[in-house]
Structure formats: structure tokens, C-alpha cells
Amino acid sequence: MNGHLALAIAICMEVIATSALASIQGLTKPLPLLAVIIGYVSSFYMLAIVVKTIPIGIAYAIWSGMGIVLVTLVSVVIYRQKPDMAAIVGMGMIVAGVVTIQLFSSMKPH
């Protein structure tokens, strides 16, 4: 499997799992809890595949950075949470960092 495709899947699964955390209500809701468990397990499984072809530092930076931004977008749409200006600026810097890594890093996997 292509490392970038595996990374995209890992990010999506992590976003699903993290977004579902808001719905488990102290572990009393089994369906969202199942989404959390399946999401995190599959995300880490895919991340383990990713690090075969993408250096772990770069993979983790992209995985966590994009996860932060996407979870925030989900929270805006689903939970009606509104990020303030500091959050927006900070996430803009995260995206800029991910873009910089993608465009300019020449780090190779071990």
C-alpha cells in the first residue's frame, strides 16, 4: 500500500475516533465507544504501515497536525463549537508546518 494513502486513512480513522469521544458520555454509549476503539486501533495499525515508507517524525507530524485541524472542523460542524482567533491562527501555523514538511523535507526512512 502507498505510504501516503495509508497516512490519509490513518488520519481519517483518528479523526473519527477522536470526534466520537465527545459522544461516549463516560463510557455509557456503546456505539460511539465502539467507533473510538475501532478508529484508534485502525489508525495506529495504518500508522505502523506508514512508517515503513515515510520517516516516523514526518509521518507523526502530518498525522497529528492534520488530525488537530480536521477534528476542529468536525467539532465546528457537528458540535457547533466555534474556535476563537488564537485557535484559528495556531491551526494555520500547523497547516503551514505540514505543507513545509511535505514540500521541503528530504528526510528518508531508515
Side-chain angles (χ1 to χ4, degrees):
M1 174 179 285
N2 177 297
H4 288 91
L5 175 61
L7 182 56
I9 294 168
I11 292 167
C12 289
M13 297 310 295
E14 188 270 334
V15 169
I16 290 168
T18 301
S19 299
L21 281 172
S23 300
I24 61 174
Q25 298 178 2
L27 305 177
T28 62
K29 301 288 184 179
L31 194 55
L33 179 58
L34 187 60
V36 169
I37 293 167
I38 291 171
Y40 282 132
V41 168
S42 59
S43 179
F44 281 104
Y45 174 78
M46 295 307 292
L47 199 55
I49 291 171
V50 169
V51 297
K52 291 179 183 178
T53 58
I54 298 173
I56 192 165
I58 290 176
Y60 186 73
I62 295 168
W63 178 80
S64 60
M66 293 312 299
I68 290 166
V69 171
L70 293 172
V71 166
T72 301
L73 291 174
V74 168
S75 74
V76 167
V77 172
I78 294 177
Y79 301 111
R80 307 282 186 231
Q81 297 173 350
K82 186 177 178 193
D84 60 13
M85 187 53 69
I88 292 168
V89 169
M91 282 182 274
M93 288 191 280
I94 290 168
V95 170
V98 169
V99 169
T100 300
I101 288 168
Q102 286 286 76
L103 293 177
F104 302 110
S105 178
S106 61
M107 191 176 191
K108 304 284 187 247
H110 64 284

